[in-house]
Amino acid sequence: RATMQDNPYHNWYHVVDVTQIVFGLVLKAGMLDRLDSVQLFALLVSALCHDLDHPGLNNPFLVMSSADLAILYNDRSPLENHHSSLAFRLLHRSNIVENLDVREYAAFRRAVIGNILATDMGRHPEYVVELKRLTESQTQTEASIASVSGIVQLETELLLKYADISSVWRPFEVAKKWAIRVTTEFFEQGDEEKRLGLP
């Protein structure tokens, strides 16, 4: 919690909310039967860490303003790269991954990074194309034969993406509170854009 900034929307409550939705969707979709323990652990860690140290600004703002994170990550998903990098620094400091063997750790790391990078809304069109390709060009059997681990990774990435923006399908009074929070954060960014003279 100490690594979360006190933003109107991208804050500790958002992270806990997303994590709870992820777990609920895993149960509802029957994914406990398809995910091994490393994949499930990676998904839950991804949900908890997907917005670590979020500054309350979006990637286009960071790139346009030449922010340190944009420079560090060469303008490519600077927020999500920062969140996953910080996640692994915290995980190593806490020794939470020390019991994973080399193979498990590599799979865990790949999954967490993939899941967190998937939350970059700038990458949304990639996922639309991939889903369209899978549903139009392959039967269910062909899809499952193609790459079981690849399909499972795609499912966990999509599940986290969905949970990350899921506040809109809550009961109206709950959704309204989240909407006020996110628009407040957007307006604060707009004020900063105006202050900096950004287009």
Side-chain angles (χ1 to χ4, degrees):
R1 185 173 184 169
T3 60
M4 293 302 300
Q5 295 189 32
D6 189 26
N7 300 312
Y9 182 81
H10 290 99
N11 56 41
W12 177 246
Y13 300 103
H14 167 69
V15 167
V16 171
D17 181 63
V18 168
T19 303
Q20 185 233 351
I21 293 297
V22 162
F23 189 70
L25 290 172
V26 164
L27 294 177
K28 189 82 169 160
M31 289 182 73
L32 284 178
D33 298 333
R34 291 198 315 278
L35 298 176
D36 64 35
S37 59
V38 173
Q39 291 167 327
L40 180 59
F41 180 46
L43 178 56
L44 295 175
V45 167
S46 301
L48 281 170
C49 297
H50 83 280
D51 274 336
L52 286 177
D53 194 37
H54 198 295
L57 305 164
N58 64 23
N59 283 330
F61 175 90
L62 296 177
V63 171
M64 283 190 307
S65 65
S66 297
D68 289 343
L69 288 178
I71 292 168
L72 179 64
Y73 296 110
N74 299 311
D75 297 344
R76 294 186 181 182
S77 303
L79 287 170
E80 294 74 19
N81 275 298
H82 175 62
H83 305 321
S84 60
S85 174
L86 181 55
F88 280 95
R89 283 181 272 151
L90 292 172
L91 288 168
H92 284 285
R93 208 173 329 159
S94 69
N95 298 323
I96 198 167
V97 292
E98 69 183 4
N99 291 326
L100 297 176
D101 65 30
V102 172
R103 184 189 55 78
E104 290 171 329
Y105 178 75
F108 171 79
R109 182 169 163 78
R110 245 188 336 272
V112 169
I113 292 170
N115 292 339
I116 293 175
L117 288 177
T119 64
D120 179 358
M121 287 306 293
R123 295 187 59 211
H124 186 72
E126 295 173 37
Y127 287 91
V128 171
V129 168
E130 182 62 12
L131 278 175
K132 189 173 183 180
R133 184 189 69 75
L134 283 172
T135 57
E136 290 178 354
S137 69
Q138 296 181 322
T139 66
Q140 188 68 19
T141 306
E142 289 173 308
S144 61
I145 292 171
S147 169
V148 174
S149 65
I151 295 295
V152 169
Q153 181 60 35
L154 178 63
E155 288 176 331
T156 61
E157 289 173 9
L158 289 169
L159 195 138
L160 182 56
K161 283 177 71 60
Y162 179 72
D164 193 26
I165 58 171
S166 68
S167 61
V168 296
W169 60 265
R170 308 300 170 74
F172 179 74
E173 285 307 312
V174 175
K176 180 180 173 185
K177 289 176 184 176
W178 283 114
I180 290 168
R181 288 176 168 273
V182 76
T183 54
T184 299
E185 195 169 290
F186 289 157
F187 281 118
E188 288 177 0
Q189 177 179 302
D191 292 342
E192 187 64 8
E193 289 170 356
K194 186 176 180 181
R195 189 185 72 77
L196 294 173
L198 296 175

